[in-house]
Amino acid sequence: MVRLQFLGRTGTVIDDLLNDFLAETAEILAEAGGALVAWEADPADRAQLDAIFRLVHTIKGSSGFLALPRVTALSHAAEDALDQVRRGNHPANAALVTGVLGIIDRLNIVCAALGKDGVEPAGDDSDVIAALAEQDSTTETGYDVAGVPLRRDDDLEAELQSWRSIRVPLPLLDSVMTGVTDIVLARNEFARMLRDSGASPTVIASFDRLSDSIAGMRQSVSQMRMQRIDKLFAPLPRIVRDLAQDMSKKIVFQTSGGEVELDREMMENIRDPLIHIVRNAIDHGIEALEDRVAAGKDITATISVSARQSGNQIEIEIRDDGRGMSPDVLVAKAIASRAITAAEARTLSVKDKLELVFRPGFSTAAKITEVSGRGVGMDIVKANVEKIGGVVELRNDEGRGLTILLRVPMTLTIISGLMVRAAGQYFAIPRGAVREILLESGDTVRIDRVGGGELATVRGEQYPLLRLEKVLGRETSDDDDVDDRALVIVRPGQGQSYALSVAAIHDHEELVIKPAAPMIMATGLYAGTTLPDNGRPVLLLDVQGLVAAAAIDATETGRNHDQMAAAEAQANAARNAAQLLLFRDTNCRVRGVRLSVIERVEEVPASALFESAGRVQVQIGDEIFPVHTANLPEAEGSLKLLRLFDGQSVLCYPIAEVIDIVRLPDAVQPSAAPGLIAGVVLVSGEPVELIDPFWLMAQYAVLDAEAALNQPLCRLANDHDGWGGNFLAPILRSAGYRVVSDKDVVEEAPDVLLCLTDDGASCAHVGDEIPVIRLRSAIAAAGPDDETVYRYDRQALLDALARRIGGGRA
């Protein structure tokens, strides 16, 4: 074991210096993992590469100072690989990113052991270092990129800045924050007293200087406990990347709102629930590639995590475009697991059915995996969020995706607020959500009644109008002046705006926000409570909750008719654009077929395919379909089949894998003759063969029921021994004829009579108007004038039918 040595001191106890190193390294590794995944998506982002290099370089410098050889060697290997990319000697590819991520994983393991035991664990890291070095050796030596320094001054500055910090216990920060809060409340009260007393300008000017100092101190102390929420998001891209690769899913991960700040301790409490929700979205929510193709979705799924501040609350939204949740399936699972009874299930609303996922031990997984399926999941997520005063909301769109909203308090905080009056009471609005303040009776404002609501037009821009009294369920006060009502243009979130009508605007103040009573917070209309300088408690409005309570569309597209029309036209154009399903054929060729002719992608066992009548067919459930292949699969296992559907019949086309869904290029080089390949197109600069579904379906066409009614009718006469029904009828039906026997009662006159006896006299009673074909049992004809047909001469029989009545497929 390697013993740590600190400036002449020896020992195995972790001291403050090592604590600082481990805390800083944990943050750096989490940030580096997310940055690497982002850089992999955009290798041309030089700034991102430089940032990752500096992070790894900081770990190397700190570990060298603390004499940690394993950490130093690992970080040096990663630093060297990234430096080769900076020099232009190595390409930025997925293999290199995977190698560096492997180094980061090993560093996490080593640092975890270091934090537990106080000494760097013994071990050999040559495997991950060699794996990364192998990526370097596969590329020829390049050249130095002109103008790119190999070691930048800001690298050293960043390293030095990382040491200029101290660690403070959270209880001490809580105490300081509480003290600052009391100072702010005292300042507000003192400001009210000065206004009422008519103090001299000199006293007021001194108070203003004191107030500015308190505001600066308040901001600094608040920032001590606060941390940008992008620190919480940092490990998510790596989690999505690795899990998506393990499950063979294509996923784009997006984050927004990283600049929002949250209490550090609160962030730690929601880290695990957030990771669990994202993993659930990948495992349960996002469908397999074949299922997304069948549902007409883009083959690349999207998971987005966003954050926004709403008063004293932070809203974290996790959205995916997967299958969503089926309330009926959840109920069936709950009944099967005896979580509820069938009688209880009948009384549940849709919301209650969805919230079954929060029952302890409930799981929707079909089988237990490393990711999920053990019944320990959303109930723990909800319990952990509610433990810190938050709530979990589900917004389900079955078949299109699921949104999970976490509302958590920021803890005690101070914000700039706008005081407004409505229904004779004062309320506060977060100043950051206020875009503009106007008089409702102003020249630039027009109020129109549209349907059951109101629309405010401000300088040509339209906003849905909410009257605060109506949203809160209160009556307007008699003391309010109708002509002096104010409009507050509120922007609660990205892409949303609305006009809020209030009786009057009071003032701007620095407000100390605390959580309100649970019953008040449960309404969704309020984000907390505050005590302004008049000493009366005031509720802070939740500007996002007001929109939800009023059930209005406050989005930009919902407000602007021109934007709505443009968005609808764009959506229609996207829907009408022909899409191409790219796949790898069983012969490893990349081919494509129009997505519109694909019913879905089936995965069946190879044993489900069988050969019959010279053609390969497949049994799927209780149905049998033709398969476009000449031979049965030789290997065991499963096989993917494209189900082509023309509105009446199904044809299965075997493939190796689905690649992507792209727009069908306009330029198609057609084939010289009809066949399986209709032509060739270029997709991303590569030639792709287009499958001709028209030609394919024509090869396997079968007659439908309506066409069968027009088939010629053959009656079998004198079929005493059953030979006609057992041997002849199947041949005739496959050739396109209908067949009845003497025993069948059919009002329709037959088109031809097949006489199954050598004695033709027995068929003479039918009449001359119906053609008769006589079948003999002997191979040789009786003479040159013998017009009978040998009953086992298939072609002669079909030719005779064609001459006499036509029809069929003879």
Side-chain angles (χ1 to χ4, degrees), residues 53-54 57 86 151-159:
F53 178 85
R54 287 194 297 270
H57 177 69
R86 298 174 85 198
R151 185 58 52 87
R152 296 164 45 142
D153 293 339
D154 55 358
D155 292 343
L156 182 58
E157 291 176 6
E159 181 180 353

Side-chain angles (χ1 to χ4, degrees), residues 36 359 419 456 477 524 560 608:
L36 276 165
R359 295 287 184 98
M419 303 297 296
S477 175
N560 191 303

Side-chain angles (χ1 to χ4, degrees), residues 158-177:
E159 181 180 353
L160 293 176
Q161 286 290 339
S162 66
W163 290 99
R164 299 184 60 185
S165 63
I166 61 172
R167 301 181 66 84
V168 180
L170 286 177
L172 179 57
L173 282 179
D174 289 337
S175 177
V176 173
M177 188 66 181

